[in-house]
Amino acid sequence: MSKTISQVIADELQVRQQQVDAAIALLDDGNTVPFIARYRKEVTGALDDTQLRTLETRLGYLREMEDRRQVILKSIREQDKLTPELEKAILTADSKTTLEDLYLPYKPKRRTKGQIAIEAGIAPLADSLWQNADQSPEDAAQGYLNAEHGFNDAKAVLDGARAILMERFAEDAVLLEKVRRYLNQNAELNARVVAGQEEAGAKFKDYFEHNETLNKVPSHRALAMFRGRNEGVLTLSLNADPGQDDGVKGSYCEVIIQDHYGVHPASAPADLWRKQVISWAWRIKIAMHMETELMSALRERAEEAAMQVFADNLKDLLMAAPAGPRATLALDPGLRTGCKIAVVDTTGKLLDTATIYPHAPQKQEAQAAAVVAALIAKHHVDLIAIGNGTASRESDAFVARLLKANDLKVQSVMVSEAGASVYSASELAANEFPSLDVSLRGAVSIGRRLQDPLAELVKIDPKSIGVGQYQHDVSQSLLAKKLDAVVEDCVNAVGVDVNTASAPLLTRVAGLNTTIAQNIVAYRDEHGRFDSRTTLKKVARLGPKAFEQCAGFLRIMGGKNPLDASAVHPESYDLVKAMAAKASKPLDAIIGNRDFLRAVNPKEFVSDSVGLPTITDILAELDKPGRDPRPEFKTATFAEGVNEVKDLIPGMILEGVITNVTNFGAFVDVGVHQDGLVHISALSDKFVADPREVVKAGDVVKVKVMEVDLQRKRIGMSMRLGDEPGQERSAPARGNERQNATRPNSQGNRGDNRARSNAGNSAMGNAFGNAMADAFKNAKR
């Protein structure tokens, strides 16, 4: 490479190379991203976790490319074909694509028509005809007849010469890059319906005859078309010359080939043959190669964008505000099978269970109310968590009547059930509650996720939480890796109480794995609560490196050392003691002492081993030890009497919760068992390029109902509260887009139902109704 790997990454991140070199050294030494981001700021120049994750990914890619570079050099060198110019080109190649282009002519391959022609001695003819058009191809070919190799006549010889040149052009790295650059800027993606699949593939009808510039296809539309192709409904092709007049023959890419070689056929004897060589080289060799490559690149970009949408939504969900350590009664709503109840204490420990039947067909509301009231009194319940699945609004109304009738000061909160069914049936849940019915396990999960969403949701495969966009169409291994990184970063950003954390939660702490996490729980069960961080060193397989990585993220509440309850790393305890000693104060007297901490001059404590960033972090942590970075707990208040889609009336202003954010808008739960869509053009009075600029999953928002489709249970909403249903309005100008995405459905199957919704960005002056009709077009539950 002309640049080192660290130089390349530094340029991409726009940071100093020394920062990248330091981060790479730390990663190679077995340090985790959360540990480096939090406790090695002075080493990396304060690279944050996002930068470090990008650095880690790019480091893997570039190292793989470097390994491939060496393999290619070795292969060509062994063929004795490595010229100084070729070696320089390979060493300076900055992408895997360029490397493979350079390797094409030397890559071991099966015998081709061109190679057979070369073996028959036809290469000089190919070169002669290509360079000198003033000769008759047929006459020149007579001197190259070779019956032994199957070239018995002039036509066979000329075909062989053409094959030699076609293969040579298709392996010319510089030419391929020119063609690639042109196609990336100008080519058009064409989607067409497969004959006879119109009815079966109706959900893809927006793409039955769809043309779009390749570099402008957004991820959601690209993945929709690829899905259509995979299901046998659509064919996809690349049009290199969109807008070209019908009478024009050939492609502009043929002109690129001519210009590249300085050959411009006219009317000389060999020019017709040369034109044919150029045309065939483009259509048969280069075009097919480029279509495969560019389609693959489009899919890769689309998958990366879809995975980023999922990762962003997952982070918002995991970092949602916790209700905190409050005794909670969780109610998993149901009709015929009843509502399952689980009561958990302030630590999430299961205290009691019950099943009640307040709704049809049993309608045993009085008996159910008595059971719930007794449980509230018995366990001093502060919160009631109601799952948002089937019968959730009926259950919410039942609880409201119960609380009012008994004058109980207990807060009732609607909680998303997404993924609860996955947890209930998991091996983890079975091990935790072996004798508990599956449905009651779900109720426990609902209660715990209200107390602490992060601690409970880490028990569920992130892909089952349902906040993605085309999550099943992307590389599952890459998606899992990306989502695992999000979970790890969130867990370590918040910190974990080692005396109450579950093994799945501990597994996500930097430096720990499944085995060590289980060993921590086993040690805790055998010896009782940990009273200091140093006790962790007694846990089996938790060695010095693991302790270094995890200690700062594990909290010991009420332990021997007050610093153990903070994010201050044990390696910095002596520094904090020095601060206290200099002020002649006991250690616990400076923790939380804002006046004292603000008076400390951090530069006084800088040393060769401790830098200013670490000292600044320590002072901030001592000011608010163990602070939780998550927002303050608040909930949406659903409107009374609005329980089903049929209760909605255009013009209503309601409070709701953002359940999912996609590239084209946000879905909102207003308590009617079906999420409504706020299209991207209705999120704000200003132009919005990315919905996440305005909202994120878990936000409580006010929306206006703009359109209700009772038959299909589709709801169009706006956060522009001045909009009126059916009113002409100016929306930020955007191209017409239709896309499918995962749409949360709060009714049935514990909120895990997936619905794909087509959405369209309205153009300037379109009526809201038209935009929403386009947005919901062809939705499929």
Side-chain angles (χ1 to χ4, degrees):
M1 295 179 66
S2 58
K3 292 183 178 181
T4 64
I5 287 177
S6 61
Q7 284 175 324
V8 172
I9 296 175
D11 289 344
E12 292 174 353
L13 293 178
Q14 296 184 333
V15 298
R16 290 178 289 107
Q17 184 182 344
Q18 293 91 326
Q19 293 176 272
V20 176
D21 286 334
I24 291 175
L26 287 167
L27 288 169
D28 287 344
D29 195 37
N31 294 283
T32 62
V33 167
F35 175 79
I36 297 171
R38 180 67 178 82
Y39 297 111
R40 292 295 180 264
K41 288 183 178 179
E42 57 265 65
V43 179
T44 67
L47 293 178
D48 61 29
D49 53 357
T50 301
Q51 291 172 309
L52 287 166
R53 290 291 181 194
T54 303
L55 185 153
E56 186 179 37
T57 300
R58 288 294 290 155
L59 179 63
Y61 174 90
L62 292 172
R63 281 180 168 173
E64 285 179 7
M65 188 171 76
E66 188 58 32
D67 290 342
R68 180 61 176 162
R69 191 193 315 276
Q70 297 308 316
V71 168
I72 289 173
L73 285 170
K74 180 182 178 182
S75 174
I76 301 175
R77 191 176 287 116
E78 289 174 347
Q79 298 174 45
D80 199 25
K81 296 179 181 179
L82 186 62
T83 65
E85 294 78 16
L86 177 58
E87 182 175 22
K88 181 179 179 182
I90 292 173
L91 289 173
T92 56
D94 59 1
S95 72
K96 291 181 180 180
T97 300
T98 303
L99 267 181
E100 297 304 329
D101 282 351
L102 292 167
Y103 188 39
L104 271 177
Y106 312 97
K107 193 173 185 178
K109 57 177 80 71
R110 61 181 178 81
R111 291 177 74 234
T112 64
K113 292 180 181 179
Q115 288 175 323
I116 294 171
I118 291 173
E119 292 167 5
I122 298 176
L125 173 65
D127 292 334
S128 176
L129 289 174
W130 183 246
Q131 295 166 7
N132 179 14
D134 294 330
Q135 56 184 314
S136 167
E138 291 74 15
D139 292 343
Q142 295 299 323
Y144 293 88
L145 298 179
N146 189 329
E148 181 182 349
H149 288 82
F151 294 92
N152 299 315
D153 54 34
K155 180 180 182 304
V157 172
L158 291 174
D159 286 348
R162 183 179 63 232
I164 292 172
L165 292 174
M166 287 169 57
E167 291 175 17
R168 184 183 299 170
F169 298 167
E171 294 174 348
D172 186 329
V174 178
L175 172 62
L176 292 179
E177 181 55 32
K178 290 179 180 179
V179 174
R180 182 182 295 114
R181 191 181 306 120
Y182 168 78
L183 293 176
N184 270 322
Q185 292 298 319
N186 300 280
E188 188 175 76
L189 178 63
N190 297 155
R192 298 291 183 269
V193 64
V194 174
Q197 292 296 315
E198 291 83 358
E199 184 175 347
K203 62 188 177 184
F204 296 107
K205 70 179 182 180
D206 288 335
Y207 306 106
F208 282 2
E209 191 169 348
H210 181 79
N211 308 312
E212 188 166 9
T213 304
L214 184 69
N215 64 3
K216 294 183 179 178
V217 180
S219 64
H220 41 274
R221 284 211 294 274
L223 291 175
M225 286 184 271
F226 283 124
R227 179 186 287 176
R229 184 177 69 175
N230 292 342
E231 294 184 12
V233 176
L234 301 176
T235 61
L236 300 181
S237 61
L238 205 65
N239 180 2
D241 304 280
Q244 182 172 277
D245 294 339
D246 294 337
V248 177
K249 293 183 179 180
S251 167
Y252 181 72
C253 291
E254 296 174 26
V255 177
I256 295 176
I257 297 173
Q258 293 176 19
D259 291 344
H260 176 69
Y261 292 109
V263 172
H264 299 88
S267 57
D271 276 344
L272 182 60
W273 181 83
R274 297 202 298 179
K275 287 180 182 178
Q276 187 184 63
V277 170
I278 293 170
S279 179
W280 283 37
W282 160 244
R283 290 188 292 109
I284 297 174
K285 289 288 187 179
I286 300 176
M288 294 176 63
H289 170 79
M290 284 295 164
E291 179 167 312
T292 301
E293 177 190 309
L294 295 178
M295 288 283 196
S296 177
L298 174 62
R299 182 174 194 102
E300 186 177 324
R301 292 194 303 272
E303 288 190 2
E304 177 58 34
M307 287 188 282
Q308 190 60 51
V309 168
F310 199 150
D312 290 340
N313 283 336
L314 178 63
K315 181 178 181 180
D316 292 338
L317 196 62
L318 294 176
M319 296 298 284
R326 301 163 66 182
T328 302
L329 183 149
L331 189 152
D332 184 2
L335 295 172
R336 182 181 58 82
T337 57
C339 299
K340 310 300 180 181
I341 291 177
V343 181
V344 293
D345 68 9
T346 56
T347 66
K349 178 182 178 181
L350 178 63
L351 300 177
D352 219 330
T353 62
T355 302
I356 58 175
Y357 302 88
H359 313 308
Q362 293 90 344
K363 295 185 178 180
Q364 299 173 2
E365 181 165 335
Q367 298 94 315
V371 171
V372 174
L375 289 172
I376 291 173
K378 178 181 178 181
H379 300 293
H380 308 289
V381 169
D382 289 328
L383 287 173
I384 297 179
I386 302 173
N388 68 341
T390 303
S392 60
R393 292 310 304 277
E394 293 88 342
S395 299
D396 187 37
F398 157 71
V399 168
R401 291 192 295 270
L402 163 69
L403 297 179
K404 184 176 181 180
N406 292 274
D407 194 26
L408 296 173
K409 306 301 180 184
V410 178
Q411 186 177 9
S412 173
V413 181
M414 198 75 75
V415 177
S416 170
E417 294 182 352
S421 60
V422 176
Y423 165 76
S424 301
S426 69
E427 181 180 355
L428 174 63
N431 291 335
E432 190 173 7
F433 304 110
S435 59
L436 202 62
D437 182 80
V438 171
S439 58
L440 288 171
R441 294 175 191 165
V444 175
S445 179
I446 291 168
R448 287 175 170 176
R449 66 174 62 184
L450 177 60
Q451 293 176 323
D452 191 336
L454 178 60
E456 190 62 20
L457 289 173
V458 293
K459 301 177 183 178
I460 303 169
D461 180 353
K463 290 182 287 186
S464 300
I465 297 176
V467 290
Q469 173 181 292
Y470 282 100
Q471 64 199 59
H472 302 295
D473 293 295
V474 304
S475 167
Q476 296 303 291
S477 60
L478 291 178
L479 177 62
K481 183 177 180 181
K482 194 173 192 72
L483 298 184
D484 283 345
V486 170
V487 176
E488 182 182 31
D489 288 342
C490 289
V491 168
N492 290 285
V494 172
V496 172
D497 185 339
V498 73
N499 284 312
T500 60
S502 65
L505 182 59
L506 289 167
T507 300
R508 301 291 189 167
V509 173
L512 303 184
N513 55 33
T514 302
T515 300
I516 299 177
Q518 291 172 342
N519 290 346
I520 290 174
V521 174
Y523 186 95
R524 189 175 69 200
D525 292 342
E526 181 179 354
H527 300 282
R529 58 179 282 111
F530 290 91
D531 58 6
S532 71
R533 279 172 168 162
T534 55
T535 309
L536 288 165
K537 296 180 179 179
K538 297 179 181 180
V539 174
R541 304 189 69 174
L542 202 161
K545 188 66 176 182
F547 179 80
E548 176 193 52
Q549 299 296 303
C550 74
F553 303 110
L554 296 174
R555 309 281 191 266
I556 310 289
M557 312 308 293
K560 294 179 179 179
N561 189 331
L563 292 177
D564 284 348
S566 72
V568 176
H569 197 281
E571 66 187 12
S572 298
Y573 282 7
D574 288 342
L575 174 64
V576 178
K577 291 176 182 177
M579 290 180 182
K582 186 171 184 178
S584 301
K585 293 179 179 290
L587 184 62
D588 55 4
I590 70 170
I591 297 177
N593 187 336
R594 177 167 296 187
D595 292 337
F596 167 78
L597 294 170
R598 290 187 175 182
V600 172
N601 181 2
K603 294 181 179 180
E604 292 182 16
F605 297 93
V606 172
S607 66
D608 292 339
S609 58
V610 183
L612 189 61
T614 293
I615 297 171
T616 302
D617 279 351
I618 289 173
L619 292 173
E621 179 63 23
L622 293 175
D623 186 17
K624 295 181 179 179
R627 65 192 182 284
D628 194 321
R630 292 174 290 183
E632 183 182 353
F633 177 69
K634 62 179 180 179
T635 62
T637 302
F638 293 149
E640 292 186 12
V642 180
N643 303 321
E644 301 177 45
V645 177
K646 67 180 182 180
D647 297 326
L648 295 174
I649 300 172
M652 278 183 169
I653 294 178
L654 304 170
E655 194 167 73
V657 179
I658 301 291
T659 57
N660 196 9
V661 182
T662 68
N663 287 338
F664 56 85
F667 290 97
V668 184
D669 179 8
V670 292
V672 295
H673 309 309
Q674 181 65 50
D675 294 344
L677 171 65
V678 179
H679 187 258
I680 187 171
S681 62
L683 287 170
S684 172
D685 288 321
K686 299 179 180 179
F687 173 79
V688 178
D690 178 0
R692 288 179 54 80
E693 297 172 0
V694 183
V695 292
K696 63 180 185 294
D699 281 354
V700 176
V701 297
K702 285 189 180 296
V703 295
K704 176 176 281 190
V705 179
M706 303 299 290
E707 183 182 18
V708 181
D709 186 334
L710 288 175
Q711 184 177 359
R712 294 181 292 179
K713 291 187 176 180
R714 295 177 189 168
I715 311 159
M717 298 177 171
S718 176
M719 285 174 55
R720 296 162 45 131
L721 302 184
D723 288 344
E724 294 297 335
Q727 178 187 50
E728 289 287 331
R729 66 189 180 90
S730 293
R734 303 175 63 87
N736 183 35
E737 298 178 358
R738 295 183 176 91
Q739 54 267 332
N740 295 318
T742 299
R743 175 159 58 107
N745 181 341
S746 55
Q747 182 176 8
N749 193 27
R750 297 192 175 278
D752 292 334
N753 287 343
R754 309 290 197 271
R756 293 199 314 278
S757 168
N758 287 337
N761 281 343
S762 60
M764 186 72 73
N766 280 356
F768 185 86
N770 292 336
M772 296 312 300
D774 187 44
F776 280 119
K777 191 175 182 182
N778 298 324
K780 183 173 179 61
R781 186 167 300 169

